[in-house]
Amino acid sequence: DTAVSQTPKYLVTQMGNDKSIKCEQNLGHDTMYWYKQDSKKFLKIMFSYNNKELIINETVPNRFSPKSPDKAHLNLHINSLELGDSAVYFCASSQDTPFGAGGRQFFGPGTRLTVL
Amino acid sequence: EDKVVQSPLSLVVHEGDTVTLNCSYEVTNFRSLLWYKQEKKAPTFLFMLTSSGIEKKSGRLSSILDKKELFSILNITATQTGDSAVYLCAGGMDSNYQLIWGAGTKLIIKP
C-alpha cells in the first residue's frame, strides 16, 4: 500500500490555466506538507497543515491555495499558471514525535508540472 | 536566519571509493538532523540523528552528528553505481514542524 500518494504524476498545461494536485496519506500522520523542487533540486517548503490547520505558509504567490478537507488529505490548487511554476511538487507527511516536531517526513512520488 | 549548508555540491568518484558528505547547520531550537537520498523520484529517508557522537549505520552508509560544532557527515564506503543520487540533509526544529533543507550533494559513481 502506498503511504503517501499524489495525483496526477505528470501535468502539462498552458499558461493561464487553473489546475489542482491531490495528496493523500494513509499513515495516520497529523502533519502534511507541500514542497516545490526546481531544476536545481532545491526543496522549498510552501505550506504545512497540522490536523487541518495551516501552520506554515511561506512566501508563495497567492495563486497557490492549499486545502485540507481532513488530516489525511492536502490538495494544492494553482490559479493562472505561469511558466515559472514548472517544477516537481512533492507532498509529504510526518507524525509529531513525543518530544515535539523535527521528525521524519515521508514523501509522495511527486507531480511534475510543465507549463507551456 | 536558519540555514543548512551542504558540501561539496557535487562529487564524482569511482566505484569502490569511500566518500564523505558534509552538512553544517544553524537551526533555531535544533532537534534533529535528517539525511535523505533522492534518485529520480521522491527523497527517501536514510537517517535521523538527535544525539551527538552516536554513529548510525545502515550497510555501507553511516552518519554522525556533532551538536557542538553544528555539523553532520554521511559516509559511504565501497561505493556502487547505485549510490549515484542527490543526498539531502535537513535540520529539524523542536518548536515547529518545519525542516530546513540543504541544497544537496550530487554524487556520481563511475564504474
Side-chain angles (χ1 to χ4, degrees):
Chain A
D1 282 341
T2 305
V4 183
S5 60
Q6 292 178 230
T7 54
K9 288 188 178 173
Y10 300 94
L11 190 50
V12 181
T13 188
Q14 300 284 335
M15 273 177 58
N17 284 349
D18 302 339
K19 290 292 176 187
S20 291
I21 308 172
K22 294 186 176 182
C23 178
E24 177 181 0
Q25 55 96 1
N26 62 7
L27 297 166
H29 288 170
D30 294 324
T31 308
M32 295 183 73
Y33 311 79
W34 275 111
Y35 286 94
K36 179 181 180 181
Q37 188 174 48
D38 59 26
S39 57
K40 294 184 179 179
K41 293 288 193 180
F42 190 72
L43 268 173
K44 182 183 173 186
I45 183 74
M46 300 174 71
F47 303 104
S48 178
Y49 272 73
N50 176 257
N51 283 316
K52 301 196 297 174
E53 181 184 341
L54 182 65
I55 53 167
I56 295 173
N57 186 2
E58 291 295 301
T59 306
V60 173
N62 58 15
R63 299 181 294 103
F64 290 80
S65 53
K67 282 191 172 52
S68 183
D70 55 61
K71 75 173 195 177
H73 295 85
L74 180 61
N75 304 323
L76 183 66
H77 188 75
I78 316 169
N79 288 327
S80 304
L81 278 155
E82 299 178 357
L83 293 176
D85 297 333
S86 295
V88 179
Y89 291 83
F90 286 104
C91 175
S93 72
S94 71
Q95 180 62 50
D96 293 349
T97 71
F99 307 101
R104 173 182 171 183
Q105 293 182 8
F106 293 74
F107 284 81
T111 295
R112 182 174 293 277
L113 172 64
T114 303
V115 183
L116 303 174
Chain B
E1 185 187 345
D2 297 309
K3 63 180 179 182
V4 171
V5 178
Q6 292 187 245
S7 63
L9 291 181
S10 64
L11 185 57
V12 182
V13 300
H14 285 97
E15 237 181 343
D17 288 350
T18 293
V19 297
T20 298
L21 309 183
N22 304 294
C23 176
S24 65
Y25 64 90
E26 293 175 29
V27 174
T28 311
N29 295 320
F30 175 82
R31 172 64 192 165
S32 55
L33 192 291
L34 295 94
W35 284 98
Y36 283 79
K37 176 183 181 182
Q38 186 175 24
E39 297 173 84
K40 291 182 180 176
K41 297 183 180 178
T44 54
F45 174 79
L46 294 174
F47 299 109
M48 183 166 78
L49 302 136
T50 56
S51 300
S52 236
I54 298 174
E55 186 184 51
K56 289 216 171 179
K57 209 167 162 60
S58 175
R60 296 177 294 103
L61 278 66
S62 63
S63 183
I64 198 159
L65 175 66
D66 185 329
K67 289 169 81 170
K68 186 179 174 187
E69 299 297 330
L70 307 183
F71 78 90
S72 173
I73 59 171
L74 175 68
N75 276 325
I76 310 175
T77 59
T79 51
Q80 302 170 358
T81 53
D83 296 326
S84 295
V86 174
Y87 290 83
L88 297 162
C89 92
M93 300 177 173
D94 205 18
S95 54
N96 67 26
Y97 303 84
Q98 190 170 353
L99 292 179
I100 309 298
W101 291 87
T105 293
K106 183 173 183 178
L107 177 63
I108 297 172
I109 310 296
K110 288 189 170 181

